[in-house]
Amino acid sequence: MTRTQQRRRQPLRRGSASSALHDSLRDRILNLDLVPGQSISRSAIAAEYQVSLTPVRDALIKLEEEGLIDTFPQSKTEVSRIDVHHAQETHFLRLALELEIVRRLAMNAPGATFHEARSVLAQQVAAREVNDLSAFVRLDSNFHYALYEAAGVDSLFTLIQSRSGHIDRLRKLNLPDPGKSQSILDCHSRILDALEAGDADTACAVLREHLSGTLAMVDEIRARTPGYFVA
């Protein structure tokens, strides 16, 4: 158990315990504080977060629906191992959706300035400079959300997030690799430059490069951490 896991959590607000607990556990899974294959004790979680077993049960049900928890009846509950096929399916869905988003933005908003995305990118650069990978990952998500929002389809981001647990963990494993974080920043910058220039073809080409980078490295990532993956 990591130092983060050992710290006693603050009590969750009454009435929002299940949702808040889900969000906290999801973040810990995606950040690999709770690693693939790690056993989950409901009573230990309840004690750690100072809640009853009911919100723990509800949070774990939702995490299981998202593919982040595996429950074996009468046996155990554990963090799911990374399913590469699931990651590839999610990549296919996200790529199709975001290609349409950037094409629409480039074609319908020539000369526009994407202030929110630019602001997020600046914050992401700052996070990289201090090697704050957790903030970097959160801001990466915020950057893409800003594009969904600019296109008026921000509710679809929730759909993508609900399926992204496997590919997000792959990206987390890939992020410390030399040059990866800089590549992400470069792609984000190039996407915005193309959008503001009204260049749909370049925006789509850079987005495809950006979203496909981690899956191109999946064999190498799996070789480093074979126990994290579905056999």
Side-chain angles (χ1 to χ4, degrees), residues 132-164:
D132 187 344
L133 293 185
S134 293
F136 188 94
V137 169
R138 173 177 52 80
L139 290 162
D140 183 74
S141 179
N142 291 353
F143 176 87
H144 287 270
Y145 177 76
L147 300 183
Y148 283 70
E149 191 173 39
V153 293
D154 45 297
S155 63
L156 293 179
F157 192 76
T158 303
L159 169 65
I160 296 300
Q161 278 198 312
S162 71
R163 288 190 51 89
S164 68

Side-chain angles (χ1 to χ4, degrees), residues 80-203:
S80 68
R81 287 174 169 80
I82 298 170
D83 185 331
V84 173
H85 179 69
H86 189 287
Q88 291 168 333
E89 286 188 337
T90 302
H91 170 261
F92 184 91
L93 175 63
R94 181 176 177 183
L95 181 61
L97 181 56
E98 294 195 17
L99 283 172
E100 180 60 26
I101 285 172
V102 297
R103 181 170 295 280
R104 180 181 298 184
L105 289 174
M107 294 178 67
N108 294 346
T113 300
F114 295 87
H115 295 291
E116 180 61 26
R118 285 285 181 195
S119 173
V120 172
L121 178 55
Q123 294 172 60
Q124 198 174 22
V125 170
R128 180 184 179 275
E129 288 175 350
V130 297
N131 199 34
D132 187 344
L133 293 185
S134 293
F136 188 94
V137 169
R138 173 177 52 80
L139 290 162
D140 183 74
S141 179
N142 291 353
F143 176 87
H144 287 270
Y145 177 76
L147 300 183
Y148 283 70
E149 191 173 39
V153 293
D154 45 297
S155 63
L156 293 179
F157 192 76
T158 303
L159 169 65
I160 296 300
Q161 278 198 312
S162 71
R163 288 190 51 89
S164 68
H166 293 279
I167 196 163
D168 281 351
R169 288 184 290 171
L170 268 176
R171 291 193 174 106
K172 179 69 173 181
L173 289 168
N174 186 202
L175 184 57
D177 290 345
K180 180 61 180 177
S181 60
Q182 186 59 52
S183 173
I184 291 171
L185 295 176
D186 289 345
C187 284
H188 284 180
S189 180
R190 290 160 59 202
I191 288 168
L192 287 179
D193 289 345
L195 292 180
E196 292 171 354
D199 187 346
D201 289 343
T202 296

